[in-house]
Amino acid sequence: MARVAPFSVVVGRMLDAWIKTSPERPVRAEDVYRGVLDLLSIKMRLTVFEVTGPDPLDWYMRTVRHSGFTSRIININGLFSDCRVGDFKDRAYMERSVIPRLKEVVERQQPATELVKTRLLGVSLGYDRILLPQKNANGSQWVISSSYAQFLLGQPQARETLDTSDEAIVQLLIEGSTAKEIAVLLGLSHRTVEHRLDKMKQRFGARNTVHLVAMLIAAHIDRSALS
């Protein structure tokens, strides 16, 4: 059975392997990531970008290990199939959240690690990422990208404005209060709180209360325009 490890361990192992490489004797990407393949969890993905020229849109994205993470919101593995960067389905995502950092690490030939908060096909998502460029005196020919999924939140079916009472109910839900506790705190009847929650679920297309809260958090992230 494959072992799994925290993403920090995966990152550390790859950095150790990368540090031992030399620009005078360039190595293959496999020589850097080979030792971590058995450590990847279902929430981790490993991809290699093949640098084929000056334009990142012409670079090729090759998946080494798909994530085992599944969601009803979006088919991540289907979306991140092998392709030319310029042919990726969400071009805006690539130009906003991937290409600038790829260009930076290729130019500097130095790794980059970060928490990425962005949007993909209208879905808010966050993930830890490390980018490792090939050390090569003649210019990097590949970049390893490994990521660890943090959250994946779908947008509401409709953009609604909540009134003051609904905002208060949502805030208390996020803080962990039950419907009965919210009723007491806001001086409302339990039936009124339940009725407002049912109405919000209908308006936003949420399947249950937990789903409603997740969608409202996603809407907030989207308004914040995090990238």
Side-chain angles (χ1 to χ4, degrees):
M1 182 176 178
R3 297 171 296 163
V4 296
F7 190 59
S8 58
V9 172
V10 172
V11 168
R13 293 279 183 90
M14 285 200 294
L15 277 171
D16 287 344
W18 180 86
I19 287 170
K20 295 174 183 176
T21 66
S22 166
E24 286 71 36
R25 300 185 64 180
V27 301
R28 300 173 303 168
E30 303 94 278
D31 297 325
V32 175
Y33 68 67
R34 184 184 297 114
V36 305
L37 290 179
D38 289 340
L39 303 179
L40 301 177
S41 75
I42 64 171
K43 296 181 71 176
M44 299 179 197
R45 169 180 302 279
L46 199 148
T47 301
V48 173
F49 289 89
E50 298 172 0
V51 180
T52 56
D55 187 352
L57 293 175
D58 289 330
W59 298 354
Y60 193 79
M61 181 175 68
R62 175 172 58 86
T63 300
V64 176
R65 179 66 58 84
H66 277 297
S67 166
F69 182 71
T70 59
S71 169
R72 298 179 185 178
I73 299 173
I74 189 171
N75 181 357
I76 289 288
N77 289 340
L79 186 62
F80 282 90
S81 57
D82 296 358
C83 70
R84 174 177 165 272
V85 171
D87 294 331
F88 188 75
K89 189 171 183 180
D90 189 342
R91 175 82 166 264
Y93 163 77
M94 278 292 175
E95 293 180 340
R96 177 179 61 247
S97 303
V98 179
I99 290 175
R101 293 299 266 169
L102 286 178
K103 291 173 65 177
E104 180 182 331
V105 299
V106 165
E107 180 180 341
R108 298 176 57 219
Q109 291 195 14
Q110 290 294 320
T113 59
E114 59 195 332
L115 171 61
V116 180
K117 296 179 182 178
T118 186
R119 291 180 299 282
L120 177 64
L121 295 179
V123 174
S124 295
L125 71 157
Y127 52 88
D128 290 309
R129 176 174 69 187
I130 180 170
L131 296 173
L132 286 166
Q134 181 194 41
K135 292 182 187 176
N136 191 329
N138 296 316
S140 298
Q141 295 180 348
W142 51 256
V143 178
I144 298 169
S145 173
S146 187
S147 59
Y148 176 78
Q150 295 283 11
F151 63 83
L152 183 66
L153 302 173
Q155 299 297 309
Q157 292 178 359
R159 293 186 179 274
E160 301 278 356
T161 300
L162 300 179
D163 63 25
T164 303
S165 294
D166 285 348
E167 288 277 10
I169 289 171
V170 168
Q171 180 60 43
L172 291 170
L173 277 174
I174 293 171
E175 293 174 4
S177 299
T178 65
K180 289 183 178 179
E181 291 169 338
I182 291 171
V184 172
L185 289 167
L186 298 182
L188 302 172
S189 69
H190 180 222
R191 183 181 296 275
T192 297
V193 173
E194 291 285 3
H195 176 71
R196 282 183 170 270
L197 287 173
D198 287 340
K199 286 292 186 181
M200 280 190 278
K201 282 182 276 190
Q202 292 174 16
R203 286 159 55 192
F204 287 102
R207 292 185 297 274
N208 50 51
T209 303
V210 173
H211 189 207
L212 172 66
V213 173
M215 295 176 84
L216 291 167
I217 292 173
H220 173 72
I221 291 172
D222 184 57
R223 288 195 301 270
S224 298
L226 294 171
S227 60

